[in-house]
């Protein structure tokens, strides 16, 4: 569908665009596809466009939940997660005379996200956290156990002759990808109106946030977004609902480039410039600056890297938000092998159960600072405790400390050996080998890589560089341990180097809470 048809529909349904200042355009697919550009210099705090709340497609605004029956909707758990919204989108798209038909027809029907990759293409992502988060099997299970039975129970709403088209598994995947890549968390308008089917509608932190201005609309409040733990879908949040927001979902995202933000008012949502935008520049609505792995999983693109850069913190290097997810089971395996014997493995099982009960992490996040998470150190120490010390710890209900001080802690060298083993083990999981420069050379080779492979190489390059630098840091710490041992147990490093931020003696907490 052409941009003009979509814009005509948007305007006819109460949407407003300041056409003097902004316009939609077609970019190359590698540059985000459709997007919005400034037609003339735009000042900060300028309203670029607004969307009536009635034009937001959600389980509150679609009549399907009411037609299906509020009790039946909840009974089939369509009020949980994204299933209900996806079903509403499938149903709305099947109605020739419905309000959102033109909008839904304007949305993409094909995607570059790993959900739609072949096995060989996904193999290029081996070692990255993307593989475990694609969710294709979970999506198909939800469709077969929840969505399809609901569809089959109401042939009056879902005609049987449309099961293979509008209400098929393919349609479910397509609309699920639309939600994943384009939805927003739209907060309640503050009214007292009840919606039985939607009042418990859930939000996902994968959806884009809408800011609540504390100042009048002409003076937008600064952004106040919480994007922590963006990979987890919440089943408990009720302050906002996930919705499809026409026009707002046309804006592209790029790390550190945000120049517009969506604010909500009782009857409309407004996209407002957050800084001056020069004529010809693209309007960016960046939500949380996620790492390349998440960008690829959700949106099918990555932030461009300069393959020649050899510093993960340098300009033009891989996405500064990139992270490595080190699974706890990799750490446990390394600790058991260091301890040796079946006794260590049996003891580890009991300790891991206690660790999880006490809120320990099952994944540790390593970022470009290369600092070691405190809970990673705590877990290793827990696994190394003598039986009597473990009993004392459980009696007190207190996990071992996560701060590690080289030159002062007697167990520093032993802990570092386990960390190194775990990082080395993680490095072997990556496609293309552990050396990041092999991937860097692939990106500058004369023969360009296929687009999907290129994205996969960029994702793993960013992670491999973080892992290599972290291993280098661990090596420094182990060398410091040896120097301390040689010096008779006293720390030998002095001066600025011993105090530098993120130095070998430092650890920090940046893990991820365990879910059982």
């Amino acid at each position: 569908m052409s941009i003009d048809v979509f814009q005509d529909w948007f305007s006819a349904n109460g949407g407003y665009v300041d056409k003097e200042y902004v316009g939609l355009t077609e970019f190359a697919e590698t540059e985000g596809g459709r997007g919005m550009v400034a037609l003339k210099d735009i000042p900060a705090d300028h309203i670029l466009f607004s969307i009536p709340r009635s034009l937001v497609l959600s389980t509150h605004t679609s009549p399907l939940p009411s037609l299906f029956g509020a009790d039946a909707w909840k009974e089939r758990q369509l009020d949980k997660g994204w299933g209900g919204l996806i079903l509403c989108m499938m149903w709305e798209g099947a109605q020739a005379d419905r309000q959102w038909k033109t909008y839904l027809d304007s949305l993409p029907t094909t995607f570059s996200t790993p959900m739609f990759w072949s096995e060989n293409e996904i193999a290029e992502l081996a070692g990255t956290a993307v593989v475990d988060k694609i969710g294709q099997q979970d999506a198909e299970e939800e469709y077969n156990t929840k969505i399809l039975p609901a569809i089959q129970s109401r042939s009056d709403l879902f005609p049987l002759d449309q099961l293979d088209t509008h209400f098929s598994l393919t349609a479910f995947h397509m609309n699920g990808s639309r939600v994943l890549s384009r939805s927003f968390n739209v907060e309640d308008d503050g009214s007292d109106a009840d919606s039985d089917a939607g009042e418990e509608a859930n939000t996902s932190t994968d959806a884009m946030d809408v800011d609540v201005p504390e100042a009048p609309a002409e003076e937008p409040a600064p952004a106040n977004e919480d994007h922590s733990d963006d990979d987890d879908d919440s089943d408990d949040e009720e302050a906002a609902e996930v919705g499809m927001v026409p026009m707002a979902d046309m804006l592209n995202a790029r790390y550190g480039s945000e120049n517009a933000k969506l604010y909500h008012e009782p009857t409309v949502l407004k996209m407002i410039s957050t800084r001056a935008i020069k004529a010809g520049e693209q309007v960016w609505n960046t939500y949380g600056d996620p790492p390349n792995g998440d960008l690829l999983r959700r949106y099918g693109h990555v932030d461009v890297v300069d393959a020649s850069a050899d510093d993960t913190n340098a300009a033009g290097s891989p996405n500064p938000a990139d992270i490595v997810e080190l699974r706890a089971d990799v750490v446990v395996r390394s600790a058991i092998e260091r301890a040796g014997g079946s006794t260590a493995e049996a003891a580890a099982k009991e300790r891991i159960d206690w660790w999880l009960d006490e809120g320990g992490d099952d994944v540790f996040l390593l970022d470009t600072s290369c600092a070691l998470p405190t809970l990673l150190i705590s877990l290793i120490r827990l696994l190394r405790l003598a039986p009597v010390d473990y009993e004392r710890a459980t009696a007190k209900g207190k996990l071992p400390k996560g701060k590690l001080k080289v030159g002062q802690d007697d167990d520093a060298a032993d802990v570092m050996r386990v960390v190194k083993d775990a990082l080395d083990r993680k490095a072997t999981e990556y496609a293309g080998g552990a050396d990041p420069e092999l991937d860097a050379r692939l990106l500058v080779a004369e023969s360009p890589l296929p687009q999907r492979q290129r994205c996969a190489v960029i994702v793993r390059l960013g992670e491999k560089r973080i892992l290599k630098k972290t291993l280098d840091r661990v090596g420094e710490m182990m060398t410091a341990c040896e120097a301390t041992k040689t010096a008779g147990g006293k720390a030998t490093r002095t001066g600025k180097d011993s105090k530098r931020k993120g130095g070998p003696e430092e650890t920090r907490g940046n893990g991820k809470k365990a879910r059982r």
Side-chain angles (χ1 to χ4, degrees), residues 6 45 66 84 98 123 132 182 245 275 279 298 335 348-349 378 381 392 398 414 421 433 440 463 487 505:
F6 166 74
D45 303 330
S66 296
R98 289 293 301 150
D132 292 332
R182 290 171 170 262
V245 185
R275 61 176 175 81
R298 300 180 200 171
K349 290 180 180 178
S378 177
R381 280 180 163 147
R392 290 195 190 106
K398 187 176 181 181
D414 292 329
D421 288 351
E463 294 194 17
E505 72 283 0

Side-chain angles (χ1 to χ4, degrees), residues 488-505:
K490 294 182 180 180
T492 58
R493 295 189 304 142
T494 58
K496 293 182 180 179
D497 183 60
S498 65
K499 297 179 181 179
R500 66 185 174 89
K501 185 176 180 181
E505 72 283 0

Side-chain angles (χ1 to χ4, degrees), residues 321-349:
D322 279 347
I323 57 173
V324 173
E325 295 193 11
L326 179 64
R327 301 188 315 276
D329 65 285
V330 174
V331 179
V332 172
R333 178 52 49 192
S334 298
I336 289 173
E337 289 185 359
R338 276 283 168 185
S342 57
T343 303
E345 186 153 5
K349 290 180 180 178

Side-chain angles (χ1 to χ4, degrees), residues 361-486:
D361 289 358
D362 56 9
V363 174
F364 305 102
L365 306 184
L366 310 175
D367 60 25
T368 53
S369 74
C370 302
L372 298 178
T374 54
L375 281 175
L376 169 61
I377 305 303
S378 177
L379 173 61
I380 294 172
R381 280 180 163 147
L382 172 64
L383 296 170
R384 297 185 68 257
L385 285 178
V388 63
D389 294 325
Y390 172 65
E391 290 178 7
R392 290 195 190 106
T394 54
K396 293 180 180 178
K398 187 176 181 181
L399 296 172
K401 68 176 183 177
K403 293 291 185 181
L404 186 69
K405 297 181 180 179
V406 174
Q408 298 181 34
D409 293 335
D410 294 337
D411 66 344
D414 292 329
V415 170
M416 284 299 99
R417 290 189 188 99
V418 176
V419 172
K420 183 179 184 303
D421 288 351
L423 296 182
D424 284 337
R425 189 184 299 271
K426 171 65 179 176
T428 64
E429 296 179 356
Y430 285 100
D435 185 0
E437 297 318 306
L438 293 177
D439 284 340
R441 287 196 286 274
L442 284 176
L443 294 175
V444 295
E446 287 187 13
S447 300
L449 298 173
Q451 181 61 21
R452 291 181 177 181
Q453 184 182 2
R454 179 179 177 275
C455 287
V457 171
I458 289 173
V459 170
R460 72 193 196 211
L461 172 61
E463 294 194 17
K464 288 179 185 180
R465 282 183 166 160
I466 291 173
L467 195 59
K468 183 179 183 300
K469 283 186 169 291
T470 305
L471 274 165
D472 290 344
R473 181 64 56 83
V474 170
E476 292 177 17
M477 297 177 76
M478 294 178 71
T479 299
C481 288
E482 288 299 320
T484 300
K485 182 178 178 181
T486 302

